[in-house]
Amino acid sequence: MMKILFNYQRYAVFVIVALVLLASLVGAAVYSKWLLVPALFAGALFLLGIYDVRQRKHAILRNYPVAGHMRFLLESFRPEIRQYIIESDHDEVPFSREDRGLVYQRAKGAEDKRPFGTMENVYGSGYAWLTHSATPVTIADTDFRVRVGGPACKQPYDASLFNISAMSFGSMSANAILALNSGAGKGGFAHDTGEGGISRYHRQGGGDLIFQVASGYFGCRNENGSFSPEKFTELAADPQIKMIEIKLSQGAKPGHGGMLPAAKISPEIAEARGIPMGIDCVSPAAHATFSTPIGLMQFVGQLRDLSGGKPVGFKLCIGHRREFMCMVKAMLETGIVPDFIVVDGAEGGTGAAPVEFANRVGMPMLEGLTFVHNTLRGAGIRDQVRIGAAGKIVSAFDIARTLALGADWCNAARGFMFAIGCIQAQSCHTNCCPVGISTQDPVRQRAIDVGDKSDRVARFHRNTMKALGEIAGAAGLSHPSNFLPYHLMFRQEDNSFVDGNEAHPYLPDGFLVSGAEIPELADWHGRWERADAESFAPPEIPSGPFQRRNVA
């Protein structure tokens, strides 16, 4: 008997509901009609249990009618339970509570200091720190800028060292875009439009824009989806647009296209993207305008001419390193050098990406940045190209480290999302963002007070630049752009460390094109030899591990 009860205990909640229903109905008939109220609730649960037993989609509901729904309920707010109750200050999922708290404090203008010393494991593998000087410097003006625009650029732009990374209208709500861009306008820094085109909310905010041209050519496309020089020329003439960025790939899902279903395309999205209503909007994985390294450089030159000489560059996450060398060889062969390159790391964010892409495709930012920086140095053109970098950058230390390893400026997306109230609910792809940022639900996005949130965006930027000035001064520098690898120390394993010059060295200027080969850089020379300005395709298919060349 006990064995039978044990085997069928999974139905206990369903049986209890049935008994409550029966008791309530009897009580209502004998004692009081008010007992019909619990009878209604019990009846609804009883019918749910009947449905659970008969449905065939969820095995757990067939075995645990009514009770099985608790699993799905708890699972639905598991991220919140972890974030508020279980997660420590340093758990990165993907941003730690400490990082988020720092952004919230600086955005609100609240106290961002902490007592009692560091909570970091300073002797653990992966810890990094900045070296300081015995003669620190006080930097009064922290409006740090870098001029973007090479010899062929007629309208260079003095960009802030910290800007808003690409986030499209469509993935972001109207109020979120307006708050971000208004904040950029108040703070005097740039806002990347993302691939979704320039919406009325970008224009209304009045902040400086980096117009992103992606494979869908949204905002500058013909009806068949091809690039329209005429529409681009008209759009790029807008003085609010300061730079043009060709998107080759993004860190969270490099090499992956996308589709916006027709049901999600609103009139405002259709207006910004230049697409029709009622038809699925496809973002191809690759550009149709070019397919070779030389073709890419010609497209850079074309956009620079059509825009009246504004800075033009491209954004990518490093994949095959040889392919980037193909691009650099095309720069040398054509004489067309982009004004900037933005390196996006595999740790970058997105509204939605397949797990395999988010976790396992693309090179992390620090390694990608170091490779791009040194390839341009090796080709002798690093001084002609500015480098931006993005990938989990929220603090002044993040910026300083990125600048030291070769970047000229930094971009952040999720950091500025935190500034306007993001709580890392990780529901960006559901259209149910609890704070109204990554949703097109007009009721949800009303939660964003544009005036208050735009002030927070500007304040977060200003306070982060102030902190950057303080740590640059502590290192004895007069400007953060003077950070070099030796200002950093990296603990690669417990109880031992190396300085940045060893962990992420700057390679010799012009070493790839000088004709002389450096034995310890044989793999760089071998990869450079295999790169071709006319094609991304490899000259041979490797049949085994990469073999380093033997250099006499």
Side-chain angles (χ1 to χ4, degrees), residues 46-65:
F46 181 75
L47 292 176
L48 178 63
I50 295 294
Y51 171 79
D52 290 343
V53 172
R54 297 177 60 86
Q55 59 84 36
R56 298 179 181 275
K57 187 176 181 181
H58 298 290
I60 194 169
L61 295 181
R62 285 172 68 88
N63 274 337
Y64 297 88

Side-chain angles (χ1 to χ4, degrees), residues 24-226:
S24 298
L25 290 174
V26 172
V30 176
Y31 298 108
S32 171
K33 299 297 183 183
W34 284 106
L35 290 175
L36 287 175
V37 175
L40 288 174
F41 285 106
L45 292 176
F46 181 75
L47 292 176
L48 178 63
I50 295 294
Y51 171 79
D52 290 343
V53 172
R54 297 177 60 86
Q55 59 84 36
R56 298 179 181 275
K57 187 176 181 181
H58 298 290
I60 194 169
L61 295 181
R62 285 172 68 88
N63 274 337
Y64 297 88
V66 181
H69 288 278
M70 284 298 297
R71 175 187 183 275
F72 299 107
L73 178 63
L74 293 172
E75 193 176 58
S76 68
F77 52 82
R78 178 180 178 274
E80 287 81 3
I81 293 175
R82 176 179 175 83
Q83 183 178 139
Y84 299 137
I85 301 175
I86 302 172
E87 174 190 341
S88 78
D89 284 348
H90 287 181
D91 285 345
E92 296 185 359
V93 283
F95 284 84
S96 69
R97 175 170 291 277
E98 182 176 72
D99 284 340
R100 300 195 308 272
L102 179 66
V103 177
Y104 297 149
Q105 290 162 345
R106 287 182 173 164
K108 295 175 182 178
E111 180 66 62
D112 64 352
K113 308 300 186 292
R114 74 175 317 159
F116 228 68
T118 182
M119 294 174 64
E120 298 279 355
N121 178 10
V122 299
Y123 296 103
S125 175
Y127 181 72
W129 69 93
L130 281 166
T131 58
H132 64 281
S133 172
T135 55
V137 175
T138 299
I139 302 176
D141 182 5
T142 58
D143 182 23
F144 303 122
R145 297 191 174 272
V146 59
R147 174 151 292 193
V148 183
C153 176
K154 299 177 181 177
Q155 301 184 54
Y157 176 60
D158 291 326
S160 170
L161 295 193
F162 193 38
N163 302 286
I164 302 174
S165 195
M167 293 181 281
S168 300
F169 173 59
S171 64
M172 302 286 283
S173 70
N175 279 359
I177 292 292
L178 183 54
L180 289 168
N181 193 259
S182 299
K186 293 175 180 178
F189 52 98
H191 178 195
D192 194 313
T193 65
E195 67 176 290
I198 302 177
S199 70
R200 63 183 69 176
Y201 305 103
H202 289 100
R203 299 186 189 281
Q204 184 179 341
D208 292 349
L209 292 176
I210 301 171
F211 174 49
Q212 188 178 91
V213 179
S215 57
Y217 305 114
F218 300 124
C220 55
R221 59 188 261 146
N222 295 309
E223 291 184 2
N224 63 0
S226 62

Side-chain angles (χ1 to χ4, degrees), residues 99 102-103 106 112 130 144 161-162 392-404 410 460-472 480 483 488:
D99 284 340
L102 179 66
V103 177
R106 287 182 173 164
D112 64 352
L130 281 166
F144 303 122
L161 295 193
F162 193 38
K392 293 188 75 172
I393 295 173
V394 296
S395 72
F397 173 78
D398 296 335
I399 298 173
R401 179 183 58 182
T402 307
L403 297 177
C410 297
F460 167 58
H461 177 272
R462 182 173 63 252
N463 287 334
T464 303
M465 290 295 94
K466 180 181 177 181
L468 180 62
E470 289 175 344
I471 62 174
F483 275 117
L488 291 166

Side-chain angles (χ1 to χ4, degrees), residues 262 265-268 270 275-279:
I265 300 176
S266 68
E268 291 175 325
I275 57 176
M277 296 281 293
I279 301 175

Side-chain angles (χ1 to χ4, degrees), residues 278-298:
I279 301 175
D280 292 341
C281 176
V282 176
S283 297
H287 280 260
T289 305
F290 58 86
S291 59
T292 66
I294 287 178
L296 170 59
M297 295 311 126
Q298 291 172 338

